[in-house]
Amino acid sequence: NAGVMQNPRHLVRRRGQEARLRCSPMKGHSHVYWYRQLPEEGLKFMVYLQKENIIDESGMPKERFSAEFPKEGPSILRIQQVVRGDSAAYFCASSPKTALSYEQYFGPGTRLTVT
Amino acid sequence: LAKTTQPISMDSYEGQEVNITCSHNNIATNDYITWYQQFPSQGPRFIIQGYKTKVTNEVASLFIPADRKSSTLSLPRVSLSDTAVYYCLVGGPRLMNRDDKIIFGKGTRLHILP
């Protein structure tokens, strides 16, 4: 039973480029969460999605960031026109519960470096 | 959303039992207490969750007093590989569209010494 998959594990982008981060939840999980973690900091909640539905995006920056979880395929976190401050580890988590759940299963993360 | 307070760091030795306490004075009636472990360069790993009294699994025990204003994660006979950051979260199932957020604080950095 595969865990949460994220790819790529490492991503390097120049300022102004787009970054696409992918997350495949655990089998049977229909809820996905995205977090950002800066070095030596805790995780910051960004967005909570169900299939084809954004439940809570209150942690997402208003501009340049978007997320989706289509009916088929992985969840995508998209960052347009990246800046140096976007460099961080981005973690995806999934849960099987039908509402916001604190029992979540995390992927290995994508480390984004903006040069 | 209940705020949590936990020590910034702790040191212990291999083979010892380690107890990490988390304070959550304004915990709500339907809130659960959840602990995660995070190793460097990895995603957090769910350890244990409880509502009251005591919960035990193969990894840890969670002790919750009757007033639920604090909780203690107990790691029996730690090894070097238990060196990690441990996060305490308080909250629970919410209706969709509620304004609750999952907040990971800075956690407790546990350092196990040989």
Side-chain angles (χ1 to χ4, degrees):
Chain A
N1 185 14
V4 177
M5 310 286 284
Q6 288 188 251
N7 67 82
R9 293 293 307 275
H10 300 274
L11 182 62
V12 179
R13 285 287 179 265
R14 292 199 182 102
R15 278 182 297 170
Q17 291 185 318
E18 178 180 286
R20 278 184 178 243
L21 288 61
R22 294 174 187 77
C23 169
S24 296
M26 285 182 69
K27 186 176 181 180
H29 289 191
S30 58
H31 298 256
V32 165
Y33 313 78
W34 284 93
Y35 296 83
R36 176 165 62 177
Q37 186 173 37
L38 295 170
E40 307 300 317
E41 297 286 329
L43 283 80
K44 303 292 185 189
F45 168 80
M46 299 181 75
V47 62
Y48 162 39
L49 310 105
Q50 278 185 292
K51 289 275 188 183
E52 300 184 284
N53 195 13
I54 297 175
I55 305 300
D56 180 357
E57 57 181 346
S58 56
M60 289 270 275
K62 298 298 181 193
E63 298 177 350
R64 301 188 297 108
F65 284 72
S66 62
E68 63 176 4
F69 189 14
K71 186 177 181 181
E72 301 292 337
S75 175
I76 306 286
L77 179 68
R78 183 182 176 204
I79 310 172
Q80 295 178 291
Q81 299 176 316
V82 296
V83 300
R84 290 231 170 98
D86 296 331
S87 294
Y90 292 83
F91 291 99
C92 164
S94 70
S95 73
K97 301 281 173 62
T98 56
L100 184 64
S101 171
Y102 283 73
E103 184 178 346
Q104 300 180 5
Y105 296 86
F106 282 78
T110 293
R111 273 144 194 87
L112 173 66
T113 301
V114 179
T115 61
Chain B
L1 184 69
K3 181 181 176 181
T4 61
T5 302
Q6 50 184 126
I8 293 174
S9 65
M10 292 179 67
D11 289 341
S12 188
Y13 291 92
E14 279 192 294
Q16 300 288 312
E17 178 184 79
V18 171
N19 297 309
I20 307 175
T21 298
C22 180
S23 298
H24 28 81
N25 290 319
N26 58 341
I27 188 170
T29 302
N30 58 349
D31 282 346
Y32 283 72
I33 300 152
T34 309
W35 285 81
Y36 285 86
Q37 174 192 57
Q38 186 178 26
F39 297 114
S41 301
Q42 294 187 26
R45 179 176 79 117
F46 172 86
I47 300 176
I48 198 166
Q49 184 179 72
Y51 183 80
K52 62 180 180 180
T53 61
K54 178 183 174 183
V55 179
T56 297
N57 61 23
E58 64 278 5
V59 176
S61 294
L62 179 59
F63 297 93
I64 306 166
D67 67 5
R68 304 200 328 122
K69 292 184 183 298
S70 66
S71 59
T72 299
L73 175 73
S74 181
L75 305 171
R77 298 182 58 80
V78 293
S79 65
L80 295 176
S81 62
D82 291 315
T83 293
V85 178
Y86 293 81
Y87 297 98
C88 165
L89 281 73
V90 172
R94 296 282 190 261
L95 295 174
M96 293 181 192
N97 302 319
R98 284 281 300 274
D99 194 28
D100 290 313
K101 299 174 184 54
I102 298 175
I103 297 176
F104 283 75
K106 293 193 175 182
T108 297
R109 293 185 174 275
L110 176 64
H111 187 205
I112 305 302
L113 303 166

